[in-house]
């Protein structure tokens, strides 16, 4: 496939997403809309993202919304409070609505990330963390993935870190510096879609850390100079895979998986 044909397919995919033709209009994090005030979203999104690993994302964010709605457990989304809390109190609160599934590991991760956030700025919250890094992804990447990596388990991993940057941009409106550094977050759906588009071979479907790195780097290279950042294709790719890879040709018909109707593309 030529570079031009590949980019045409990518742009068509983005267009299909914008027109609602890939299903999944409700994303997992949408569970917070109308429940969490805008000023609290950075904390809630970040803390929830810290446990968004090898589990159903829709169920996780529904649990987070329920925990935030309950005033007795809402404190778990305030990093300064969590940093000073006992691990036993934190465990009980996280298990109440199944925000945490692992009674030992998950509370430890939550407390570590909260403490890392709390010590990052005078405000002790995610807004302060981002401000301290001047909203520069290069700076955040250096801090969270290298110099202070141990403080941000899971969240510092390339898949979750990049998706966290994307979610923060999408839901909080943050304007990142060095936005082009946000790569795709190569989970199973992203990797299948990447292979389907012919950007990588099926060998990457083994899903190793090296495979995920290869996919992320392939997207960076493919989109360089196109005016698109790799993260711009993340959600369209993810939904395209979940929808069963409907055709990208203009003449095709696509049965919408959620609405059960046929739409001409």
């Amino acid at each position: 496939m030529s570079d031009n044909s590949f980019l045409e397919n990518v742009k068509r995919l983005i267009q299909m997403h914008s027109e609602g033709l890939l299903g999944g209009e409700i994303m997992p994090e949408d569970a917070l809309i109308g429940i969490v005030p805008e000023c609290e979203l950075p904390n809630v999104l970040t803390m929830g993202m810290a446990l968004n690993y090898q589990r159903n994302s829709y169920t996780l964010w529904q649990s987070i919304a329920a925990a935030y709605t309950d005033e007795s457990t809402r404190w778990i989304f305030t990093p300064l409070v969590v940093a000073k809390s006992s691990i036993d109190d934190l465990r009980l609160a996280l298990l109440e609505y199944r925000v945490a599934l692992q009674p030992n590991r998950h509370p430890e991760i939550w407390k570590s990330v909260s403490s890392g956030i709390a010590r990052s700025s005078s405000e002790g919250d995610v807004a302060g963390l981002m401000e301290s890094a001047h909203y520069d992804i290069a700076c955040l990447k250096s801090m969270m993935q290298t110099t202070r990596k141990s403080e941000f388990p899971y969240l510092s991993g390339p898949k979750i870190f990049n998706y966290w940057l994307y979610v923060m941009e999408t839901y909080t409106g943050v304007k990142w510096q060095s936005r082009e550094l946000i790569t795709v977050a190569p989970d199973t759906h992203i990797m299948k879609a990447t292979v389907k588009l012919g950007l990588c071979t099926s060998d990457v479907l083994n899903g190793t850390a090296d495979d995920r790195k290869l996919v992320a780097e392939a997207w960076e290279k493919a989109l360089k100079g196109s005016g698109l950042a790799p993260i711009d294709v993340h959600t369209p790719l993810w939904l395209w895979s979940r929808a069963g890879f409907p055709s990208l040709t203009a003449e095709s018909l696509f049965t919408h998986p959620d609405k059960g109707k046929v739409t001409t593309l």
Side-chain angles (χ1 to χ4, degrees), residues 62-261:
Q62 289 164 4
S63 295
I64 289 169
Y68 186 88
T69 301
D70 188 337
E71 292 186 4
S72 71
T73 53
R74 188 177 298 168
W75 63 272
I76 64 176
F77 302 106
T78 305
L80 276 173
V81 175
V82 174
K84 298 175 182 178
S85 70
S86 74
I87 194 69
D88 291 331
D89 288 342
L90 179 59
R91 179 181 296 108
L92 288 174
L94 287 171
L95 292 174
E96 178 72 21
Y97 292 98
R98 295 180 63 80
V99 172
L101 298 182
Q102 299 177 22
N104 294 318
R105 179 59 175 155
H106 284 174
E108 290 172 357
I109 290 171
W110 198 277
K111 192 169 181 64
S112 178
V113 171
S114 294
S115 298
I117 293 168
R119 66 170 60 101
S120 295
S121 71
S122 58
E123 292 83 2
D125 58 12
V126 175
L129 168 67
M130 295 187 296
E131 185 177 357
S132 71
H134 309 291
Y135 304 99
D136 190 324
I137 289 173
C139 182
L140 281 173
K141 186 185 287 278
S142 175
M143 178 182 69
M144 296 175 68
Q145 294 190 316
T146 304
T147 60
R148 295 172 56 192
K149 179 180 173 66
S150 63
E151 298 176 51
F152 301 97
Y154 287 176
L155 194 61
S156 61
K159 182 172 72 172
I160 296 181
F161 177 75
N162 282 283
Y163 190 62
W164 169 67
L165 295 172
Y166 168 71
V167 165
M168 294 299 287
E169 178 183 72
T170 301
Y171 289 87
T172 73
V174 61
K175 302 298 183 184
W176 295 118
Q177 301 293 324
S178 307
R179 184 178 181 274
E180 69 279 1
L181 295 178
I182 311 178
T183 70
V184 294
D187 66 2
T188 300
H189 284 300
I190 299 301
M191 296 173 84
K192 287 181 178 179
T194 301
V195 171
K196 187 73 173 177
L197 284 171
L199 185 58
C200 292
T201 70
S202 59
D203 292 342
V204 302
L205 297 180
N206 292 322
T208 66
D210 286 342
D211 292 331
R212 292 193 294 271
K213 181 180 179 182
L214 180 64
V215 168
E217 290 176 347
W219 277 106
E220 289 181 31
K221 181 179 179 180
L223 296 180
K224 188 173 182 179
S226 70
L228 295 170
I231 199 61
D232 291 332
V233 303
H234 177 89
T235 298
L237 288 172
W238 194 78
L239 292 174
W240 189 45
S241 173
R242 288 186 78 242
F245 302 113
S247 175
L248 301 181
T249 60
E251 296 80 14
S252 68
L253 293 179
F254 169 44
T255 302
H256 196 298
D258 293 336
K259 298 180 181 177
K261 66 181 181 181

Side-chain angles (χ1 to χ4, degrees), residues 27-42:
M27 297 300 290
E29 298 81 9
D30 288 348
L32 305 184
I33 295 175
I35 292 176
V36 179
E38 185 175 341
C39 62
E40 290 293 324
L41 278 173

